[in-house]
Structure formats: structure tokens, C-alpha cells
Amino acid sequence: MVASLIAILDLKGKPLIQRAYRDDVHPSVIEKFLPLVLDIEEEGQQVTPCFSSQGINFMHIRHSNLYLLAISKRNTNAAEVIIFLHRLVSVLIEYFKELEEESIRDNFVIIYELMDEMMDFGYPQTTESKILQEYITQESHKLEIQARPPMAVTNAVSWRTEGIKYRKNEVFLDVIESVNMLVNANGNVVRSEILGAVKMKCYLSGMPELRLGLNDKVMFESTGRTSRGKSIEMEDVKFHQCVRLSRFENDRTISFIPPDGEFELMSYRLSTAVKPLIWVEAAVESHKGSRVEYMVKVKAQFKRRSTANNVEIYVPVPDDADSPKFRASTGSVQYAPDRSAFVWKLKQLGGSREFLMRAHFGLPSVKSEADVEKRPPITVKFEIPYFTVSGIQVRYLKIVEKSGYQALPWVRYITQNGDDYSLRTASEKGSAPIVSM
């Protein structure tokens, strides 16, 4: 990767802060960025994160009300530049909690220091916020000899500082799976996917090496071993930089020296077919110009030993609905006019359990059938602890440190709704069920 210039711009294309790492691109090129974006949009094309104009490569991401832009004249590794821009966003959020115009204007000095440390002559350097915070602080600078940067900056292990000590050595590992799903009006699953993440909190002394084993189908096949239970085949696996990729490619062992504290070790995707974990049927009876009535049934389609927590079922209603009346066999129901929906909340929903609720709304105006058909989908939020829909399992988590101390590993599994699924509803006239995840 070689980036000649990094800049942060507002939505009007005005640079708030910029840092030139090479002199082959003039800073005035920044002003061409937004006009080029607008030209692409006017032509009806999609603006991609990377595009070129007159021999200049523009690579950008958008965060909140800001553009983060990298400019280069060379044949640059665009994916690496985009990843660096995302890392820059993460580091700035760690420092300022929120990244927006105001926080940029209030922290010019620190941001310049961070940009100088994170990149040198167009090449990425230290991007681990925990290490950067050890020697670039938000305190006022005094005229004194600055402390030397941590050894981690020049070590092979740039994400962890030496000399860490804890009274009690512990590792917390969370396997979190989010289910995205598209269900049509007939109750058929059109698309489903599982997005997984392995998140860790490490409170370990010294420089420990951890080895994590999963019920990985590829590992069992490559070693000729048979799995005692279910094995899974992960797709789009992404690792934290601490993982030794060569070791993983050789024998599928996830070996690493972890950062201190909280971090995401890996993420993965599974495109296997998944049935709805929580099924919702909604019968809707509309009386034109007077009222609309709903009968909603929810059923947990997972095993009895599991329980879904904090279940929220959002059922859309007409924009002009009023005078809500609810009756539920369990949980609480509230009208959410800002979302044109009512929400049925259940603190707990046991496996294989089902419940009913009724809703009644007045309709002061008459709407056409076309408006009825445009009704948004039902959505459901939930969290199921001690459960993974894919069947992924942590087979072992070994901790090795030269001092030989004993450490306690804790493993937890969670399945929750994803943020990218649609659950289409049947028409008001029909009796077909409305289904959701």
C-alpha cells in the first residue's frame, strides 16, 4: 500500500484535516473529489469506494457526516487502503467516543499525531488503539522530554505491550451469531444467512500463546479425523491481525498472542438454510373507514431447553391508526406511532411455547388497496443465550505462558436477530399467515 495523502472532509467536500505523506500529489487534488462523485451520480452510476481520474486514484469511505479520503498516484492496493481508513475511524472513535465534524475541529493536534504514528511515507504502521493510547494521550502537552514509545510499536507483536500482570488470569470468549432472513408472504424462507463473531476479553499476564479449536469441517477432512458431533464449514473467515495465518492454513489451528482486554478474534459467515427460530402469524381484519383488528400468534421453534430473552415483535399498522387497544396472554404491548407499528414485548419465550395477543385500532381515513399492499414487513428482535443456530462449538481453548500460571477460560454462546432481514406479510384480505424470524 502507498497512500500519498489522507484527508477527512465534510459532506460539502471541504477538507477538515489532511496529511501529505508524499509530494507526488498536490493537496489541491482534494477539491476534485466531491465534483467527481457528483458527476458519477448524475450519470446514474453507483459511486464505488475506489475510482480514478486523470491518473489519480481516489479511495474513500463515509462515516456519519464525514468522508475519509486517501489519494495516490501509484498502483495501490485499494483493499488495504480501505481497511486502513476503517482502522483510522476505529482509533478516532476510541479517542473521542464520537467521530464527527465537531470532534475533528476540537482535536486537530492529537489527530495529526495519530496520523503521523499510524502511517509513515504512505505505509501503515501502528493501528492498534490500545498501544497508541499508551504514548499519545489527550492530556495537555508539557515542555518536557517525552517518554519513549512502548516496545510493542517496534516489536513483531505490535498489538500487545510486554510486562502485563494480573492477579487473576482469565479469558472470556463469546461466540455470537446473528441470523439474517427473508421470508415471503407465503411463509417460505427465500434467503437466510448466519453472521458469526468470536469476541474475547483477555486478562492474562505476560505474553501468552492461545490455541483455539472449533468443530471445523475442513480441519476434520484435512486431518482424516472424524468429528464426534456436528461439524461446520465457515465462509468468509476474517481474523484479527494477531492470528498466525500460516498455521491456520496448514492445519486449521487458530494460534495467537492476544491483545490485552477486549477485541474481536474472528468473524465468519454461513449461508446454510435456517428455519425461522421465532414464527409469527398475524391475521388482519380491516373494516374500511372505521377500524382494523389484528390477531398475532408467536411460536418459538427451537428446543425446550433454550429460552429467548427480550423478544420484541414489531407489527406495522396504517400511518393514521389511532385509539389503540391491546390484549395479550403474556408480555406487554405498546403503540409506537413514530414507527407506525405496535410492539409486543416478551421478557422470555421458552422453546416450543406459543402465545396470542389481539390489537384494535381506529381508522379515521379511507386508504386505497394500493396503500395497503405497501405495508412494511413484521420484524422481530431476540436473543437466545447458550445456543448457536449453526452448531459451532469451541472444542478447546489452551493457554500457554512461559511462567506456567493457571488461567480460567470462560465460553459463552449467544444467538440473536440480525439487522438485515425482511419478513413480508400477506394481504389484509387473505388468510395466509404473516411470518417472521
Side-chain angles (χ1 to χ4, degrees), residues 278-298:
I278 296 178
W279 179 277
V280 178
E281 295 179 14
V284 186
E285 187 176 352
S286 180
H287 304 268
K288 288 186 179 179
S290 60
R291 68 185 191 278
V292 60
E293 297 176 352
Y294 298 81
M295 187 176 75
V296 183
K297 181 172 78 171
V298 59

Side-chain angles (χ1 to χ4, degrees), residues 8-27:
I8 302 178
L9 293 66
D10 62 18
L11 293 182
K12 295 180 181 178
K14 181 182 177 182
L16 302 173
I17 191 168
Q18 64 192 60
R19 176 70 171 87
Y21 296 98
R22 290 169 175 259
D23 57 6
D24 58 344
V25 174
H26 196 274

